[in-house]
Amino acid sequence: MYRTHNCGELRISHVGQEVTLSGWVQISRDLGGLTFVDLRDRYGITQIVFNMDDDETLCLQARKLGREFVVRVKGAVAERSNKNPNRSTGDIEIEASSLEILNASNVPPFTIENETDGGDDLRMKYRYLDIRREPVRDNLVFRSQLAIATRSHLASQGFIEVETPVLIKSTPEGARDFVVPSRMNPGQFYALPQSPQTFKQILMVGGLDKYFQIVKCFRDEDLRADRQPEFTQIDCEMSFVTRDEVLDTFEGLTKNLFKSLLNVDLPDFPKMSYDEAMERYGSDKPDTRFGMEFCDISQLAKGHGFSVFDDAEYIVGICAKGAADKYSNKDIKKLTEWMQRPQIGAKGVVNIKYQEDGSVKSSIGKFYDDETLMAWKEHFNAASNDLILILCGEKEKTQKQMNELRLEMGRQLGLMDPTVFNPLWVVDFPLLEWDEDSNRFHAMHHPFTSPKKADQERMLNGDHETMKALRADAYDLVINGVEIGGGSIRIHDRALQSRNFDLLGFTKEEAEEQFGFLLGAFEYGAPPHGGIAFGFDRLCAVMKGQNSIRDFIAFPKNNQGRDMMIDSPSRIDTIQMEELYLNSTAPNGEE
Amino acid sequence: MYRTHNCGELRISHVGQEVTLSGWVQISRDLGGLTFVDLRDRYGITQIVFNMDDDETLCLQARKLGREFVVRVKGAVAERSNKNPNRSTGDIEIEASSLEILNASNVPPFTIENETDGGDDLRMKYRYLDIRREPVRDNLVFRSQLAIATRSHLASQGFIEVETPVLIKSTPEGARDFVVPSRMNPGQFYALPQSPQTFKQILMVGGLDKYFQIVKCFRDEDLRADRQPEFTQIDCEMSFVTRDEVLDTFEGLTKNLFKSLLNVDLPDFPKMSYDEAMERYGSDKPDTRFGMEFCDISQLAKGHGFSVFDDAEYIVGICAKGAADKYSNKDIKKLTEWMQRPQIGAKGVVNIKYQEDGSVKSSIGKFYDDETLMAWKEHFNAASNDLILILCGEKEKTQKQMNELRLEMGRQLGLMDPTVFNPLWVVDFPLLEWDEDSNRFHAMHHPFTSPKKADQERMLNGDHETMKALRADAYDLVINGVEIGGGSIRIHDRALQSRNFDLLGFTKEEAEEQFGFLLGAFEYGAPPHGGIAFGFDRLCAVMKGQNSIRDFIAFPKNNQGRDMMIDSPSRIDTIQMEELYLNSTAPNGEE
């Protein structure tokens, strides 16, 4: 037997017991007559003491233990004279009577401590050492607990977890698929699912009523920061439901998870239309932990001879409360330069400072007299010492830029309270987006999303312009500016679905080839249905107040899609290629 | 709102309530003045009644409803005069006041009833209709419940569920990998995991202590009956454990699952060595619900002038209790022919009948006198009217053949009681198998399996013959002759692992390239560890007493690895091929 107890278990009540512990040597301290070893495992750290007077050989052996050696220790639990209140086992220590090295360890490339991680490359290569560090381990444990709580809640609501297949069919819609050549079907490929969308709809047609799955999904995208080629969703679908029944169900799930994992009582989730979110925050995933809402001054600001404003489609400002005296001209110049970076691409930032002494100072003072600017103060609902920042230009672009500026100001002014969680349902998204380049519509959510009931007739019979105005019965859950998930009421009518495929540029043949099974299913009693999917990795990160999803994934890939530990992807051998009827045309390919 | 209640919910206590139900039309019966509609959903069936006297229009509308139409009905709950005790809602019916068709349905290619499934091809193509049938739906619900119970039990034992990656690295060991070309790493491929074996070991090196995962695994095999290219495992690993601690843990899990899902109390699981299982049953997964154990008569039967026996390495018999008078010569001829099919390949079957009248009749009576055969009776522990069946030949081959014969006799004699579950741990497997063809050893379990402690020194220093006799610290769980899962204590020492790779024919470079990360991990404090994996699909089937795993999988593939519903795999377009740096060399390839 390797242990009678783990390293986080022993208390003052165990004093006098003979125990066996196994674990890793966190540190060994030689104090002459005594040698102290901190023994670590997943559950905690227990102090082991070796006494020269009691057993010199054993004590000398203990002195030689290196960091991360794996050992088994036997001994008696004793009360510590010098207790450590910061450690759950801090009242006791083990007076060692035997020591066995189960495995030695090289000196690790970084120490197993909370703050020393050796940098990203080393962490990923030696992930097994990184996982021994408490912050990473805690994240993995949190993820496991969150999954269990999710399943337990959904099961209690009558949801059935169904595993949908991983080897499915490639469809050109959406992001790129990862594909899998089929040896048994030469020249043909499976695809890995970007989501189980069509399968969960088929399950609704199959009468399963309430489906969920915590499921791996795959996207072959050029990886932006903090995206992974494989990611996990909480995927759900329900039959015979209206939008608000779906939202209530998953608001209930979310509240339950925050309560059971974090002991946080979330408020009821407000609903905001896409249009309103864009007008007030310039984003469909606004961080509503702070105000600084958009103030459209297009009417107000035009006609004063300032051509930049006069020529602009849209002029918008935000009011940073109490920030006037915090931002010197140099600070504002820095902010302007940040906004002018190509990623954001603003031309410039106009500022107005309503100063403590009642005066007003502005970068556009030349064009607007103080009286005019003081009138704007009211419009912005500004007070003394508030700083107004203004952008102008083409509306959609300017909204995006102002969204970035608002978030940056929120960060700089410390308005994003990490202890606050502000959930928000964003609803009533546009159904279709017109794409000038490809001269066709794209689905804003996905091709299976239903238009709102009021728009269904118009969708079937309307003209091109009508299509642009159609609203989808789609919804996103946003918490603190992060999109946790989204979903929609689906189309369950063959005619409507065919019409949607038409609008999205599918020929009849393409629609039939790719989604014939779903169109077919709609002819055999498809119930009204809708659903949602939460990004599970993202939900973990938001709940734990962390920006990156990486450390909630045991073995993440880097931005080139590589697993640095196992060194994958890699070449496969010629026989494998031949069996799959494949030749490589890669520049440095071996084939 | 589509419904206030589901179709399995209403009882006599609801009488008088106005309710709304939605569901599928199971059947509509026109009785002149009254029309009855059985409305079905996942939860049950509720009878709806339409009355010509009350509302003629509505009643006429109801008469036109076809099978599988999706409808919403409003009405009052009323007590039935003619109750149906076989239905949970059989005490009541709904007196309809409104009816709305939510979706029409074509006439389904098979009716949605327990016994009419239309055959495999139709079932798979119209899986959404098949899933509406109770037996299939019940299996999927059972699977979901089994997964929840598994997770709940393992979590209660301190296991953490960790998701390991799906895009990993191809290794030539074991079955064929499915591979995934990497667009971002031209000419390189990921592989889909055959199991998360190395990752779970890495998690143990990472200190996670107790890991589990219900996880999809993939094997590109020529699909024998009832194998699937993607299948699900309950995958587990533990640190600082001995074999018996692993077995106790998963015996506990298994007992818990049988109790909570089936209310079956399993007995303690006996342990049997591989050698003993082979001697007694000729199989490492014996069905121990019945006896009919092997009786080695090699010594006994030789030297009587019967050259077939005299020349045989191994002569073995089984005793079919009370079967002598059930098997005519014709029956035995049939059995012999069954054994002579190429799949089994027996030369012949010798029989001895100990008849009720005390006499003995045998196909080898020419060579063995009655006295000799009567002496064998004792050896077989046979009684009057017992039938002895004997095979001979090369030992290993004959054991396999006799295993088939024993199982067939068990089936024919009705000895496999479907209400009995007989679990068995088979332990102490050989570590290595010598393969004459490739002139190297194969791992009987997998390359990470540890030899038993007593054999480790011999493995490091022994000669070729010694290697053949090494025992692995490996174990299988068998229930009713079905292998539910298996596992082993793993090697955690770099030298031992390297030696194993040597024996398995890896060069140093191959071992380093494929498993360098694991060998590396063993140098940084790898703890002793071991684990197990259960076949989840198989466990479902065994628990429900079904032979096929197919109907525990929502969307199974056929024997050609095809999904008949979505028609996959399929060709992908040229642009996709180019982006992946691939050319197809398939005979009818489009490229």
Side-chain angles (χ1 to χ4, degrees), chain A residues 438-459:
Chain A
S438 58
N439 201 38
R440 70 172 183 94
F441 285 107
H442 285 276
M444 184 128 178
H445 186 52
H446 59 51
F448 314 105
T449 298
S450 177
K452 298 202 68 150
K453 203 144 200 176
D455 283 357
Q456 290 182 7
E457 200 52 43
R458 292 200 293 151
M459 180 172 171

Tab-separated table of all heavy atoms in Angstrom, chain A residues 438-459:
chain	number	residue	atom	x	y	z
A	438	SER	N	-19.130	38.474	-52.097
A	438	SER	CA	-19.586	37.229	-52.700
A	438	SER	C	-20.972	37.395	-53.323
A	438	SER	O	-21.501	36.456	-53.914
A	438	SER	CB	-19.591	36.106	-51.658
A	438	SER	OG	-20.423	36.459	-50.572
A	439	ASN	N	-21.529	38.619	-53.192
A	439	ASN	CA	-22.832	38.926	-53.795
A	439	ASN	C	-23.917	37.950	-53.342
A	439	ASN	O	-24.716	37.457	-54.134
A	439	ASN	CB	-22.721	38.916	-55.333
A	439	ASN	CG	-23.861	39.699	-55.965
A	439	ASN	OD1	-24.281	40.736	-55.441
A	439	ASN	ND2	-24.372	39.198	-57.092
A	440	ARG	N	-23.890	37.644	-52.050
A	440	ARG	CA	-24.932	36.780	-51.503
A	440	ARG	C	-25.111	37.058	-50.009
A	440	ARG	O	-24.306	37.754	-49.394
A	440	ARG	CB	-24.606	35.302	-51.732
A	440	ARG	CG	-23.443	34.758	-50.909
A	440	ARG	CD	-23.361	33.242	-51.089
A	440	ARG	NE	-22.331	32.606	-50.307
A	440	ARG	CZ	-22.512	32.067	-49.108
A	440	ARG	NH1	-23.673	32.136	-48.503
A	440	ARG	NH2	-21.518	31.469	-48.474
A	441	PHE	N	-26.186	36.516	-49.476
A	441	PHE	CA	-26.412	36.663	-48.044
A	441	PHE	C	-25.585	35.637	-47.267
A	441	PHE	O	-25.311	34.537	-47.755
A	441	PHE	CB	-27.897	36.447	-47.707
A	441	PHE	CG	-28.771	37.611	-48.085
A	441	PHE	CD1	-29.632	37.539	-49.179
A	441	PHE	CD2	-28.745	38.778	-47.327
A	441	PHE	CE1	-30.442	38.605	-49.517
A	441	PHE	CE2	-29.559	39.852	-47.656
A	441	PHE	CZ	-30.412	39.765	-48.764
A	442	HIS	N	-25.191	36.037	-46.064
A	442	HIS	CA	-24.647	35.081	-45.106
A	442	HIS	C	-25.608	34.984	-43.933
A	442	HIS	O	-26.265	35.965	-43.596
A	442	HIS	CB	-23.278	35.540	-44.595
A	442	HIS	CG	-22.188	35.352	-45.592
A	442	HIS	ND1	-21.530	34.164	-45.762
A	442	HIS	CD2	-21.667	36.204	-46.499
A	442	HIS	CE1	-20.633	34.292	-46.715
A	442	HIS	NE2	-20.696	35.521	-47.198
A	443	ALA	N	-25.657	33.819	-43.320
A	443	ALA	CA	-26.467	33.678	-42.114
A	443	ALA	C	-25.710	34.317	-40.957
A	443	ALA	O	-24.536	34.030	-40.757
A	443	ALA	CB	-26.722	32.202	-41.810
A	444	MET	N	-26.362	35.221	-40.233
A	444	MET	CA	-25.668	35.859	-39.102
A	444	MET	C	-25.419	34.827	-38.004
A	444	MET	O	-24.371	34.819	-37.391
A	444	MET	CB	-26.509	37.006	-38.562
A	444	MET	CG	-25.835	37.773	-37.459
A	444	MET	SD	-25.836	39.540	-37.810
A	444	MET	CE	-25.051	40.178	-36.329
A	445	HIS	N	-26.397	33.950	-37.776
A	445	HIS	CA	-26.196	32.910	-36.754
A	445	HIS	C	-25.781	31.615	-37.464
A	445	HIS	O	-24.628	31.286	-37.519
A	445	HIS	CB	-27.477	32.763	-35.921
A	445	HIS	CG	-27.352	31.827	-34.764
A	445	HIS	ND1	-26.355	31.922	-33.829
A	445	HIS	CD2	-28.118	30.775	-34.374
A	445	HIS	CE1	-26.495	30.958	-32.933
A	445	HIS	NE2	-27.555	30.246	-33.233
A	446	HIS	N	-26.715	30.896	-38.039
A	446	HIS	CA	-26.397	29.791	-38.941
A	446	HIS	C	-27.618	29.488	-39.798
A	446	HIS	O	-28.697	30.036	-39.544
A	446	HIS	CB	-25.862	28.562	-38.198
A	446	HIS	CG	-26.782	27.993	-37.166
A	446	HIS	ND1	-28.093	27.695	-37.411
A	446	HIS	CD2	-26.567	27.685	-35.876
A	446	HIS	CE1	-28.636	27.220	-36.321
A	446	HIS	NE2	-27.746	27.214	-35.364
A	447	PRO	N	-27.474	28.642	-40.803
A	447	PRO	CA	-28.543	28.509	-41.804
A	447	PRO	C	-29.833	27.886	-41.274
A	447	PRO	O	-30.800	27.784	-42.017
A	447	PRO	CB	-27.934	27.582	-42.866
A	447	PRO	CG	-26.484	27.543	-42.603
A	447	PRO	CD	-26.296	27.834	-41.159
A	448	PHE	N	-29.837	27.445	-40.028
A	448	PHE	CA	-31.008	26.748	-39.489
A	448	PHE	C	-31.834	27.627	-38.556
A	448	PHE	O	-32.818	27.190	-37.985
A	448	PHE	CB	-30.544	25.465	-38.792
A	448	PHE	CG	-29.551	24.704	-39.620
A	448	PHE	CD1	-28.208	24.709	-39.305
A	448	PHE	CD2	-29.972	24.048	-40.769
A	448	PHE	CE1	-27.287	24.047	-40.113
A	448	PHE	CE2	-29.061	23.386	-41.581
A	448	PHE	CZ	-27.713	23.384	-41.249
A	449	THR	N	-31.379	28.869	-38.414
A	449	THR	CA	-32.038	29.819	-37.530
A	449	THR	C	-33.344	30.302	-38.140
A	449	THR	O	-33.395	30.677	-39.311
A	449	THR	CB	-31.107	31.016	-37.295
A	449	THR	OG1	-29.930	30.541	-36.664
A	449	THR	CG2	-31.770	32.078	-36.442
A	450	SER	N	-34.381	30.327	-37.308
A	450	SER	CA	-35.685	30.773	-37.791
A	450	SER	C	-35.776	32.294	-37.757
A	450	SER	O	-35.282	32.926	-36.825
A	450	SER	CB	-36.775	30.170	-36.900
A	450	SER	OG	-38.044	30.644	-37.296
A	451	PRO	N	-36.413	32.880	-38.780
A	451	PRO	CA	-36.794	34.283	-38.639
A	451	PRO	C	-37.854	34.386	-37.545
A	451	PRO	O	-38.507	33.395	-37.222
A	451	PRO	CB	-37.391	34.620	-40.005
A	451	PRO	CG	-37.820	33.322	-40.583
A	451	PRO	CD	-36.884	32.283	-40.029
A	452	LYS	N	-37.998	35.569	-36.983
A	452	LYS	CA	-39.055	35.738	-35.985
A	452	LYS	C	-40.401	35.451	-36.659
A	452	LYS	O	-40.567	35.647	-37.854
A	452	LYS	CB	-39.022	37.158	-35.417
A	452	LYS	CG	-37.696	37.444	-34.712
A	452	LYS	CD	-37.822	38.577	-33.725
A	452	LYS	CE	-38.677	38.183	-32.559
A	452	LYS	NZ	-38.328	38.840	-31.301
A	453	LYS	N	-41.348	34.998	-35.876
A	453	LYS	CA	-42.628	34.557	-36.422
A	453	LYS	C	-43.235	35.612	-37.353
A	453	LYS	O	-43.708	35.299	-38.448
A	453	LYS	CB	-43.604	34.238	-35.284
A	453	LYS	CG	-44.699	33.294	-35.703
A	453	LYS	CD	-45.084	32.332	-34.589
A	453	LYS	CE	-45.801	31.125	-35.165
A	453	LYS	NZ	-46.111	30.119	-34.170
A	454	ALA	N	-43.166	36.865	-36.915
A	454	ALA	CA	-43.758	37.962	-37.692
A	454	ALA	C	-43.084	38.141	-39.051
A	454	ALA	O	-43.665	38.715	-39.969
A	454	ALA	CB	-43.671	39.260	-36.893
A	455	ASP	N	-41.846	37.633	-39.160
A	455	ASP	CA	-41.081	37.836	-40.398
A	455	ASP	C	-41.124	36.640	-41.345
A	455	ASP	O	-40.567	36.698	-42.441
A	455	ASP	CB	-39.609	38.140	-40.063
A	455	ASP	CG	-39.424	39.576	-39.575
A	455	ASP	OD1	-40.431	40.318	-39.553
A	455	ASP	OD2	-38.295	39.941	-39.219
A	456	GLN	N	-41.776	35.548	-40.949
A	456	GLN	CA	-41.704	34.330	-41.759
A	456	GLN	C	-42.391	34.487	-43.110
A	456	GLN	O	-41.862	34.073	-44.141
A	456	GLN	CB	-42.301	33.146	-40.987
A	456	GLN	CG	-41.406	32.748	-39.816
A	456	GLN	CD	-41.918	31.541	-39.050
A	456	GLN	OE1	-42.882	30.909	-39.464
A	456	GLN	NE2	-41.262	31.235	-37.945
A	457	GLU	N	-43.556	35.115	-43.082
A	457	GLU	CA	-44.288	35.320	-44.325
A	457	GLU	C	-43.484	36.213	-45.270
A	457	GLU	O	-43.358	35.915	-46.462
A	457	GLU	CB	-45.663	35.960	-44.003
A	457	GLU	CG	-46.702	35.803	-45.074
A	457	GLU	CD	-46.882	34.356	-45.514
A	457	GLU	OE1	-46.912	33.476	-44.641
A	457	GLU	OE2	-46.954	34.118	-46.753
A	458	ARG	N	-42.912	37.288	-44.724
A	458	ARG	CA	-42.107	38.214	-45.530
A	458	ARG	C	-40.872	37.520	-46.098
A	458	ARG	O	-40.412	37.825	-47.190
A	458	ARG	CB	-41.653	39.398	-44.673
A	458	ARG	CG	-42.805	40.306	-44.248
A	458	ARG	CD	-42.311	41.679	-43.854
A	458	ARG	NE	-41.488	41.636	-42.631
A	458	ARG	CZ	-40.519	42.494	-42.352
A	458	ARG	NH1	-40.225	43.466	-43.224
A	458	ARG	NH2	-39.854	42.410	-41.228
A	459	MET	N	-40.333	36.586	-45.346
A	459	MET	CA	-39.155	35.878	-45.821
A	459	MET	C	-39.489	35.009	-47.029
A	459	MET	O	-38.726	34.941	-47.996
A	459	MET	CB	-38.591	34.991	-44.716
A	459	MET	CG	-37.345	34.225	-45.150
A	459	MET	SD	-36.600	33.401	-43.740
A	459	MET	CE	-35.365	32.402	-44.571
